[in-house]
Amino acid sequence: MTEHLQLIEKKLDHLQRMLAYLDYSLEQAQRLIPIDDWESLTPEDHETLAAFRVRFSDFQEHIGKTMRAVAIEEEQKTDPFTAVLLYMEKLGVIESVQAWKEMRELRNAINHEYEENPRWLAEFFSGLLLATPVLIDWHKNLVEFCKKNYGI
């Protein structure tokens, strides 16, 4: 196995560990969402929501890095990142470039400070709940591609 394929395998292993944490956080967040009364949340509830948003963000970021590594292995253009996304769409790893970009916008919203607007927060966390299974599916598609084509 080449050094670069070993790198992809290492990234996939890391994503698998991250997925376990994301699954756990998703399960915990589902107990809380939708949130009707933000004032009633305990510090533990806020911790749960914070962990969920960070794990979602990290998972998407690492999927993107792994997709770039696959594109490099396949000798595809990697700059701009849209080239990677177009290739991943062609392979069926992601639904569409637009869907990835929408997920990226959601991820970017994660990295901003918590809004004080309860309506915005409710929409944000509901969006995360809906986006997480899609992100997990994309991860599965990427893993399947790597198993089929690289044996890893």
Side-chain angles (χ1 to χ4, degrees), residues 98-110:
Q98 184 60 37
W100 177 271
K101 287 182 177 183
E102 288 170 6
M103 188 115 23
R104 179 72 180 180
E105 287 175 18
L106 184 60
R107 180 180 172 266
N108 287 342
I110 291 170

Side-chain angles (χ1 to χ4, degrees), residues 22 25 46 48-58 107 109-114 124-125 128:
L22 179 60
S25 289
H46 284 283
T48 295
L49 294 172
F52 177 48
R53 68 186 177 89
V54 168
R55 287 177 174 159
F56 178 94
S57 176
D58 288 349
R107 180 180 172 266
I110 291 170
N111 294 323
H112 296 136
E113 290 185 35
Y114 263 97
F124 171 76
F125 280 105
L128 278 185

